[in-house]
Amino acid sequence: MITKQHIAEVLAQGPYQPTWPSLAQFQLPGWFRDAKFGIFTHWGLYTIPEYRNEWYSRNMYIEDYPEFRHHVRTYGPQKEFGYKDFIPQFTAEKFDAQEWLDLFQQAGAKYYMPVAEHHDGFQMYASALSHYNAVEMGPKRDILGELRQAATDHGMHFAASNHRAEHWWFMGHGQDFSSDIQEPLKRGDFYWPAMPEPDRPTNQFSQPYPTEEFLTDWELRVCELVENYHPELLYFDWWIAHQAFHDTLQRVAAFYYNTMAHAGLQGAICYKQDALAFGTGIPELERGSFADAQPYVWQSNTAIARNSWSYTTTLDYKSTNEILITLIDTVSKNGNLLLNVGPRADGSIAPGDRKILADIGRWLAVNGEGIYGSRPWRFAQEGPTPAADGDFQDQQAIHYTPQDIRYTANHGALYAFSLAPQAGQTITLTMITPDNDARVNQFHGLIDHVEQLGYGPIPFDNQPSGIVVHPVLTESTAPVGFKIIMQ
């Protein structure tokens, strides 16, 4: 079992110490910058009801919530059938890690990140710190271990996310009425500590502060996950930005980077909202993007549905084209896209998810040379449609035009992607000008020819407004890529 003493020993060995200056030795793994596209999965006990979203474990204990009413109608009062009673139903009878990774690889993903522990506190891996894990209960399988092995078998980089921090308050509403979440609770109990939810849980100073006992439990759980599974990316949700985690988080980060270094591996921590000092990990945006290209590598995580990260029967699926536009926009601005898929309760992947993954894979097979390994160009974009900026920008699809362009550079060529091409329409690339005119910031290189990815050379005209390309499209289609080759 991992202990505080063991953590101290790993920290003493270096090279990283639990201070921001020391953690700033962090070097971005080279594979990450080139990978561009990964798959995220949310799957656990919260999927069993397949109802509304992955916060079912919290919401079923809030009396005016739809989950509360659904739970009472479907399973009975929370005092008689609580969240823990889903554990025996979580049998994962159709779960096949190799099949999952087949799908993710065919979709063109280069890395894979499952949720190791969500806010509900059920661990999807073997743990000596809690009996409430998938090896001892439910499916009685090391889900995370199987997924790690399958990712390795498919030549994909393996990552893991930990959402334990939010468990401090996530089950607290169960103490507001007669339910199976009642005092006394002690460390090791599934629902512990079930503290009152802060009025503003996103505030870094919200009360009540996590106790040292909870912070120690969080530290041990994360370090156990790191030591036993060596995720090449370690992702945390937002609540580690709370002031109470400040010192503990630095110890965990140093333990992670030291453990990976001693194993001969490169690792990176993905974080939100300035939880880590800049330069000590990878900044993350949730369901969002930047309006402009950034000088540093970052990651956006989003889901194939607008209304849930886990599978439900009422998913509001995005279109494949919208997801492809998100990928292109993110990559053009120096980011990676981590796309979430929610497996069904039994471990199968739903048809809607499968179709989207297959469509993405087909598009990347044609256009991937302008995505994988690419770098931002001097301009990320042009066009009439304003770009989204910040977190949570995907609740409505943005309607783009053929003149909305995103640029990347790769293989000594420039790539231009029209986000919403229309059959029969030419596309003007105004950032690429044929004459050395007053617009000094534009591209004025000598162009040998232009190719449409997946088709071949296409006609283009030099016009004062830019170069005009003539795509070959029989119908309005997914984003289309052009390769501009210089003389």
Side-chain angles (χ1 to χ4, degrees):
M1 179 184 295
I2 197 160
T3 63
K4 294 279 283 186
Q5 180 180 349
H6 175 65
I7 293 171
E9 291 170 353
V10 171
L11 297 183
Q13 294 170 14
Y16 293 91
Q17 297 302 313
T19 67
W20 294 135
S22 179
L23 293 168
Q25 300 175 78
F26 162 78
Q27 296 292 316
L28 181 77
W31 69 263
F32 181 80
R33 189 175 191 185
D34 291 338
K36 304 301 181 186
F37 180 50
I39 294 292
F40 202 3
T41 53
H42 279 64
W43 186 54
L45 294 184
Y46 45 87
T47 317
I48 296 297
E50 296 189 346
Y51 186 77
R52 291 199 77 209
N53 59 54
E54 74 287 352
W55 278 37
Y56 189 94
S57 59
R58 166 188 176 268
N59 298 344
M60 65 173 275
Y61 291 103
I62 302 178
E63 293 183 85
D64 60 345
Y65 269 51
E67 288 88 341
F68 182 97
R69 296 188 291 272
H70 170 82
H71 191 86
V72 172
R73 287 195 308 268
T74 309
Y75 305 102
Q78 287 80 347
K79 187 173 185 178
E80 298 173 10
F81 190 105
Y83 185 67
K84 69 180 184 305
D85 296 302
F86 285 123
I87 297 175
Q89 297 184 16
F90 187 42
T91 58
E93 64 271 20
K94 294 184 180 179
F95 168 63
D96 184 333
Q98 295 291 337
E99 187 201 12
W100 282 22
L101 270 295
D102 284 344
L103 290 172
F104 303 155
Q105 186 175 65
Q106 291 163 14
K110 301 300 183 183
Y111 56 104
Y112 169 55
M113 179 187 290
V115 172
E117 179 180 350
H118 203 248
H119 312 328
D120 65 344
F122 189 79
Q123 297 163 293
M124 300 291 284
Y125 57 94
S127 175
L129 299 172
S130 169
H131 297 297
Y132 293 93
N133 65 74
V135 176
E136 294 187 50
M137 297 183 177
K140 298 188 177 178
R141 296 166 64 176
D142 185 354
I143 301 295
L144 195 70
E146 292 183 39
L147 289 169
R148 185 184 190 280
Q149 185 61 55
T152 300
D153 292 345
H154 285 76
M156 293 172 63
H157 296 276
F158 177 76
S161 76
N162 179 285
H163 306 237
R164 175 71 182 178
E166 291 80 2
H167 192 69
W168 168 252
W169 48 264
F170 208 65
M171 310 301 292
H173 291 283
Q175 300 203 55
D176 296 340
F177 66 102
S178 180
S179 79
D180 66 328
I181 304 178
Q182 297 295 323
E183 296 285 4
L185 295 171
K186 63 182 186 301
R187 182 174 171 181
D189 291 344
F190 185 34
Y191 298 139
W192 175 86
M195 296 299 291
E197 181 172 339
D199 290 338
R200 294 188 297 160
T202 57
N203 186 281
Q204 294 174 316
F205 308 101
S206 58
Q207 298 280 1
Y209 271 38
T211 61
E212 283 301 317
E213 184 181 28
F214 179 79
L215 292 170
T216 295
D217 176 79
W218 179 80
E219 180 179 2
L220 294 174
R221 285 180 182 238
V222 176
C223 291
E224 179 188 56
L225 172 65
V226 166
E227 186 157 89
N228 292 344
Y229 295 91
H230 290 91
E232 294 178 79
L233 295 178
L234 179 61
Y235 170 102
F236 292 113
D237 214 345
W238 86 97
W239 218 56
I240 61 162
H242 193 285
Q243 184 185 41
F245 286 86
H246 180 269
D247 294 339
T248 308
L249 179 58
Q250 290 179 78
R251 284 198 304 274
V252 165
F255 180 90
Y256 171 65
Y257 287 138
N258 284 344
T259 298
M260 296 300 283
H262 297 158
L265 299 169
Q266 282 188 293
I269 297 174
C270 304
Y271 68 95
K272 301 177 183 178
Q273 301 178 359
D274 295 313
L276 270 66
F278 189 82
T280 64
I282 299 172
E284 187 93 17
L285 287 181
E286 181 173 350
R287 291 185 179 271
S289 183
F290 290 107
D292 301 297
Q294 301 301 303
Y296 53 86
V297 176
W298 56 283
Q299 181 168 255
S300 174
N301 64 82
T302 193
I304 62 172
R306 297 184 206 285
N307 56 342
S308 179
W309 292 82
S310 67
Y311 179 83
T312 74
T313 58
T314 56
L315 289 180
D316 180 10
Y317 281 108
K318 299 174 184 175
S319 70
T320 301
N321 285 2
E322 182 181 350
I323 294 170
L324 291 173
I325 289 169
T326 301
L327 172 62
I328 297 164
D329 179 72
T330 300
V331 171
S332 75
K333 296 171 181 175
N334 210 19
N336 282 25
L337 179 65
L338 183 63
L339 178 67
N340 182 78
V341 173
R344 295 202 62 181
D346 60 12
S348 61
I349 308 291
D353 302 54
R354 286 176 176 271
K355 182 182 185 305
I356 290 171
L357 291 173
D359 289 344
I360 294 170
R362 282 190 289 270
W363 188 90
L364 279 168
V366 171
N367 296 276
E369 66 173 274
I371 300 294
Y372 301 121
S374 67
R375 297 293 182 263
W377 187 44
R378 69 179 69 154
F379 297 99
Q381 61 198 346
E382 63 172 285
T385 309
D389 190 35
D391 291 303
F392 301 103
Q393 298 292 318
D394 71 343
Q395 293 309 291
Q396 296 290 332
I398 299 174
H399 297 289
Y400 291 97
T401 73
Q403 299 306 139
D404 287 301
I405 309 296
R406 298 295 183 267
Y407 291 99
T408 65
N410 208 9
H411 311 294
L414 178 62
Y415 292 82
F417 293 92
S418 173
L419 300 186
Q422 301 293 317
Q425 289 193 21
T426 60
I427 296 169
T428 302
L429 306 177
T430 65
M431 292 300 175
I432 304 175
T433 59
D435 300 315
N436 191 16
D437 62 14
R439 294 179 296 168
V440 296
N441 290 325
Q442 274 84 343
F443 172 81
H444 303 289
L446 298 175
I447 298 172
D448 184 84
H449 66 280
V450 176
E451 296 177 4
Q452 180 178 321
L453 298 180
Y455 179 81
I458 57 172
F460 71 97
D461 303 319
N462 290 325
Q463 299 290 340
S465 59
I467 69 166
V468 180
V469 297
H470 300 262
V472 179
L473 300 172
T474 58
E475 59 183 13
S476 302
T477 184
V480 62
F482 307 101
K483 183 178 184 179
I484 297 132
I485 297 97
M486 294 180 62
Q487 290 184 11

